[in-house]
Amino acid sequence: MAAKLTGKTTPVMDATQAAAIGGYSAELGSFDRKALDGMEIGKAGAGLDSSVFPAVVPSGTKLGHTREGIPVYASLGDNQASFLGSVPDPEHTMLLNIGTGSQLSAFVPNLTQAPKGMEARPYPGGGVLMVGAALSGGKSYALLERFFQEVIEAYTGKTLDASEVYAWMERILVEAPEQEQGLTVRPWFLGTRSNPNVRGSIEHISLDNFRPASLTHAFLKGMLEELKPYAIKLQQLQAAAYDRLVGSGNALRSNPVLRAKAETIFGMPLRLSASPEEAAVGAALCAAVGSGRIENFRQAGRFVGELKAD
């Protein structure tokens, strides 16, 4: 896309995009072309033509101009762009994103081995973004909404908009302070990254707690608890403690009960990113660094705002 906009014939990309393709070496700072070609002596390669893989340039590199003279900069991976556009203090903050999916991300200044179940992704300007992601994420809450939708339709013959059902679910959450009442939901409805064959479950059902409100509370808690082990691993990884939690994604923005549960489960105050389009803000900040408007990527957080969770 950048080559098309700038009229270039040779595309390039930064490390955040290159790592997402595969075959990228963080140690080399480029694609491992020997491994891709299969040219290393005594080693089997992928048997690919490495010449089709673009050159890797630093994040924020200016690639040229459009015909109208607008400067074009190398794009960022969406996860890195969202983090850059959400987090004012990267070295002490975890980013919790819950939308259709869910993930927990944190910046680590020095390249280290990723904890089991997590992924180390290049971060613009150096360092890595450690990411732990759930497969179902926000889809779990959508699954419960669909179940309630079908029950309502079967009983009344009426089909409600999803927004109406979600509004009802949020109302019963607020009206039921007893919360899960012992119910436990394992939201592994698409499996997990370590075990794709495992499936979700609802446990500890009793005669007293199998109720819509308790089930809804338990689904939200289960979604967050699936990500909590990543937070523990990140705290163990860093010498400087993470003591702030920034939230992004439509699920967190629209559900105050989910935000309150996140603060309790992660043991940190939660603030929402000020912009609902975090990745777009991150892309703009990347261009600002590339243009020299912002000194470096570490300084970009000064231009990011937060909202109180309540």
Side-chain angles (χ1 to χ4, degrees), residues 114-132:
K116 185 178 180 180
M118 302 191 75
E119 183 181 350
R121 300 175 179 175
Y123 194 71
V128 296
L129 199 61
M130 289 293 183
V131 183

Side-chain angles (χ1 to χ4, degrees), residues 34 36 55 58 94 101 148 153 166-167 182 204 214 219-220 268 308:
K34 289 184 177 180
L36 290 168
M94 294 183 188
F148 287 142
E153 184 176 355
Y166 280 125
H204 306 124
S214 302
F219 261 73
L220 292 182
M268 289 182 276
K308 289 186 178 180

Side-chain angles (χ1 to χ4, degrees), residues 62-88:
K62 184 177 179 179
L63 304 181
H65 296 81
T66 67
R67 287 181 295 180
E68 297 79 13
I70 300 171
V72 178
Y73 299 86
S75 65
L76 282 179
D78 58 350
N79 182 210
Q80 292 91 336
S82 180
F83 191 91
L84 185 65
S86 303
V87 177

Side-chain angles (χ1 to χ4, degrees), residues 16 24 30 32 47 49 89 96 116 120 134 144 161 166 169 172 178 187 200-201 215 217 243 245 253 259 298:
T16 69
Y24 174 80
S30 65
D32 190 337
D49 179 3
D89 182 15
L96 174 65
K116 185 178 180 180
L144 183 61
D161 290 336
Y166 280 125
M169 291 166 68
I172 65 172
E178 66 274 11
S201 63
L215 191 60
H217 274 290
D243 55 13
L245 191 65
R253 290 186 181 279
R259 297 197 296 269
R298 297 291 182 89

Side-chain angles (χ1 to χ4, degrees), residues 33 45 56 67 87 129 144 146 157 187 233 266-267 269 279-280 306:
R33 298 183 186 276
V56 178
R67 287 181 295 180
V87 177
L129 199 61
L144 183 61
R146 190 175 67 193
K233 291 177 180 179
F266 289 95
E306 293 176 310

